Amino acid sequence: YVVVGVLGFVGSTSLPEVEQVSAVALVAAIVFFLAVGGYAAVAFTIESRRTRGITRRRMAAVSVGAFLFIGAVVVLFLGQLLLDDPSGTRAVGQLAALLAGAAFFLGFVPPTWIRRAWREPDLRAFLERSIHLTREPDERRLVLELGRMAADAFGASGAALGLADESRGILRWANQHGWDEYGSDEFVGGQAFTEQRRIVALDAEQADPEHAEAYRTSSAHTIIAAPVTSEHRRLGALAVYADRAPIFVEDDLWLLELLADQSAVVLEARELTAHLSEIRAREDATRLKEEFLSAAAHDLRTPLTVVLGQAELLERRLQRDPEARIDPAGVARLTREARRLRDLVTDLLDVQRLDQARAVMDLSPVDLRDVLEEVRLRYVEHEVALRVTAPAAPMVASIDRSRIEQTIDNLVDNALKYGAEGEEPEVRLEADGEEAAISVIDHGIGIPEAERDRIFERFFRASNAHSITDTGIGLGLYICRRIVEEHGGRIEHLPTPGGGSTFRFTLPLVAAAHVAAAAAPDEAPAVGRDGWGIPLTADATIDG
Ligand code: ADP
């Protein structure tokens, strides 16, 4: 085409001297150039639309050149045929032929700086997208995405990245559902990996007849592949395939190598990120253990000192006078501190158990009003009044009753601890769409706005808690959250209007059809916890 272009240009300059060119020959020439040149120009235009990236730009330049060239020929020949003085059309034709030559030049042998500028947008797109991929946890999705991005950058029909497993001598290729494993020298990609060089198979079926069927079914007529290698390790291979041979192979190979290198960077970065988060997780676990131990040691020590001191006092008194009257206040203090100790140990054990397994064991349909009533009565026995409000109709949820009672106890204990002096905490049960909502409301110190998000983390205590008490380890709400979430509900803290805290949690309600079953008399022994966290069975008594 270039030769024809040059001939056309040179020929057009000598046309005036060839006076004897016949009209018939000129018309034949016009028809010939319109047909052959037009076909080529249209074909290049269509092809350029099918591809992307630098190939598209080069083909577009060629098709522009082809149209300009036809234009030049037609103008020159028509001027010669129809005008007395064709010098004007000759100048236009010559200019068009010159521009056509320039366009062909850009398309077929573009200078390096133009190539760079044309490749830049595709490379940039690939790099930008690949940065986000280093955080992709799913390896298969990462590999599929890298393949898609490489195919996009080439404008090819597809691309695949095979990951090497050197110990087994295989390459793993991702598909939509899992992985295909092949020997590390199978397929064109495997060959590039084994030989550690780029490979161009213009006709893949011919180059690798053993896998001809696979190439045919995936319309991989032409394949170019390159090894993906980091400085020290052979990581895999990148293969780009298309249903027809590429026109500008040298550009494609250059791009392929760049993408293969970038893929190696992504794979390595991802490995490092995964390694880093493993180290972080280990550090977190160690830190939590340390916090756990120091919090436990600190909080167990205080009540233990009181218990021991009180017990030693009683012992000394009894040694001095075996008939001495036992001091009721001392015994009460002993009991109170022993209970605190037991609560702490229960919480600590609970958290450990929660971290290893589920908290919620046996779910059964229960009317939540009964649960609230039981909690209320238990507090009454300890001379603590609660204001309980509940709807008149049953509200049945499928719950682990002892765990839900433990949750309410925890919230009520907190309301008593952090609530206003002498107030009766309110426990409210209400329906909220398909769910039941239980709120425990107090008018005490509340929780500073900035700390509300963290209140359900383990060991977290709000900055204002210490003004009330130093006892407390920050595990109660964490345990509540775990229990509620395992029931499929949510727990949240809301400020009480006028000051104070409202802790509200939801539980999914059982559909009306199942409620009848719950209404049947319950044969199982009632299992709950007293206000201080001890599980109660039917034959355990609170004051025993
Ligand atoms: P603890 O009470 O043992 O510290 P919790 O997990 O029960 O642990 O509560 C965590 C923190 O949440 C408490 O230290 C306190 O700062 C805050 N908190 C809990 N309940 C209330 C409440 N009703 N009012 C104000 N602050 C509360």
Side-chain angles (χ1 to χ4, degrees):
Y1 220 92
V2 171
V3 171
V4 172
V6 171
L7 284 182
F9 180 69
V10 174
S12 69
T13 57
S14 54
L15 262 179
E17 284 92 61
V18 195
E19 295 292 342
Q20 60 275 43
V21 175
S22 75
V24 176
L26 280 176
V27 171
I30 291 173
V31 171
F32 171 78
F33 278 113
L34 271 180
V36 177
Y39 169 75
V42 170
F44 265 109
T45 308
I46 291 171
E47 194 61 23
S48 88
R49 284 182 188 282
R50 290 165 55 124
T51 59
R52 270 165 282 185
I54 183 170
T55 304
R56 179 184 197 138
R57 294 184 181 94
R58 290 181 66 172
M59 291 216 223
V62 173
S63 69
V64 168
F67 279 117
L68 280 170
F69 180 67
I70 299 169
V73 170
V74 172
V75 167
L76 279 171
F77 289 5
L78 277 184
Q80 189 68 25
L81 200 63
L82 305 175
L83 300 178
D84 292 339
D85 176 16
S87 59
T89 50
R90 199 160 57 219
V92 173
Q94 281 174 342
L95 183 67
L98 205 64
L99 290 177
F104 286 142
F105 176 67
L106 279 186
F108 287 115
V109 275
T112 315
W113 62 272
I114 287 193
R115 273 175 202 236
R116 261 196 216 130
W118 277 349
R119 282 172 192 145
E120 215 235 24
D122 302 312
L123 260 185
R124 187 193 292 268
F126 186 90
L127 293 182
E128 274 170 7
R129 285 168 68 189
S130 66
I131 288 167
H132 300 293
L133 279 184
T134 52
R135 269 179 255 121
E136 170 60 62
D138 185 338
E139 192 181 43
R140 198 177 56 84
R141 241 190 273 155
L142 166 95
V143 166
L144 285 176
E145 186 58 20
L146 275 175
R148 243 191 312 271
M149 284 158 51
D152 273 357
F154 276 95
S157 40
L161 180 67
L163 293 186
D165 184 340
E166 297 265 29
S167 62
R168 295 165 61 206
I170 56 156
L171 281 179
R172 293 182 298 132
W173 302 89
N175 61 40
Q176 288 308 322
H177 312 290
W179 296 90
D180 296 321
E181 297 184 346
Y182 295 102
S184 58
D185 55 353
E186 283 189 70
F187 293 99
V188 178
Q191 211 182 328
F193 174 75
T194 314
E195 296 172 16
Q196 287 293 295
R197 64 182 182 91
R198 56 194 201 184
I199 290 184
V200 181
L202 289 179
D203 183 344
E205 288 176 38
Q206 204 180 22
D208 179 15
E210 205 183 315
H211 299 105
E213 183 57 33
Y215 295 130
R216 213 170 306 133
T217 49
S218 51
S219 316
H221 176 68
T222 293
I223 300 178
I224 56 174
V228 174
T229 310
S230 77
E231 210 170 318
H232 310 292
R233 289 165 53 211
R234 307 194 308 170
L235 300 172
L238 177 64
V240 178
Y241 47 92
D243 51 3
R244 58 179 63 208
I247 296 188
F248 304 116
V249 176
E250 78 288 13
D251 267 322
D252 286 349
L253 280 176
W254 181 89
L255 184 61
L256 179 73
E257 279 191 344
L258 267 181
L259 299 195
D261 286 350
Q262 183 60 19
S263 303
V265 171
V266 172
L267 292 177
E268 291 245 291
R270 185 178 165 276
E271 246 176 55
L272 286 177
T273 315
H275 189 54
L276 203 68
S277 30
E278 235 172 67
I279 292 176
R280 287 231 181 91
R282 242 181 277 149
E283 276 175 1
D284 277 355
T286 314
R287 189 175 45 76
L288 268 178
K289 256 185 230 152
E290 280 166 9
E291 277 176 9
F292 187 83
L293 279 179
S294 76
H298 176 265
D299 280 83
L300 290 175
R301 219 181 131 116
T302 323
L304 251 186
T305 314
V306 178
V307 167
L308 196 62
Q310 201 63 43
E312 283 173 349
L313 192 75
L314 287 176
E315 192 181 32
R316 273 200 301 276
R317 256 196 220 152
L318 282 173
Q319 274 169 357
R320 273 200 308 268
D321 174 9
E323 301 298 317
R325 211 182 132 259
I326 290 182
D327 167 26
V331 173
R333 198 178 308 148
L334 203 63
T335 317
R336 194 178 60 238
E337 293 302 325
R339 277 191 178 130
R340 259 182 64 193
L341 261 179
R342 183 201 54 202
D343 283 358
L344 275 173
V345 173
T346 311
D347 274 359
L348 290 173
L349 286 177
D350 238 7
V351 166
Q352 265 214 320
R353 241 181 278 147
L354 283 178
D355 284 345
Q356 286 159 5
R358 289 176 60 79
V360 172
M361 305 299 280
D362 304 311
L363 294 181
S364 53
V366 177
D367 185 348
L368 294 172
R369 297 176 311 163
D370 295 347
V371 177
L372 258 54
E373 183 55 14
E374 184 166 326
V375 170
R376 191 186 70 80
L377 290 176
R378 208 147 9 90
Y379 275 90
V380 167
E381 286 184 41
H382 291 277
E383 288 161 15
V384 176
L386 302 180
R387 265 192 305 140
V388 174
T389 49
M395 293 191 77
V396 179
S398 181
I399 58 168
D400 180 334
R401 183 168 183 152
S402 66
R403 285 299 196 182
I404 293 299
E405 287 186 7
Q406 180 188 358
T407 304
I408 303 172
D409 285 349
N410 249 323
L411 298 178
V412 170
D413 287 348
N414 277 351
L416 291 168
K417 200 157 51 162
Y418 304 107
E421 187 76 34
E423 83 167 310
E424 289 177 11
E426 181 185 344
V427 184
R428 189 186 296 164
L429 169 66
E430 57 204 341
D432 181 358
E434 307 276 283
E435 296 180 315
I438 296 176
S439 307
V440 179
I441 304 160
D442 69 60
H443 295 84
I445 59 171
I447 293 171
E449 172 77 33
E451 297 174 10
R452 278 180 42 213
D453 285 350
R454 303 197 52 201
I455 212 73
F456 296 100
E457 289 174 16
R458 60 175 141 188
F459 298 123
F460 188 83
R461 302 199 71 208
S463 50
N464 58 353
H466 300 277
S467 67
I468 302 287
T469 172
D470 270 337
T471 65
I473 195 169
L475 289 178
L477 288 181
Y478 169 74
I479 295 171
C480 290
R481 173 167 68 90
R482 290 287 306 263
I483 293 173
V484 170
E485 285 177 357
E486 282 189 29
H487 276 89
R490 300 174 314 282
I491 185 166
E492 58 184 342
H493 171 269
L494 308 159
T496 306
S501 292
T502 298
F503 282 90
R504 182 178 188 272
F505 68 94
T506 58
L507 294 170
L509 283 171
V510 174
H514 303 292
V515 171
D522 192 357
E523 296 296 327
V527 179
R529 284 161 70 105
D530 70 8
W532 287 265
I534 274 281
L536 290 173
T537 56
D539 49 11
T541 54
I542 295 166
D543 52 2

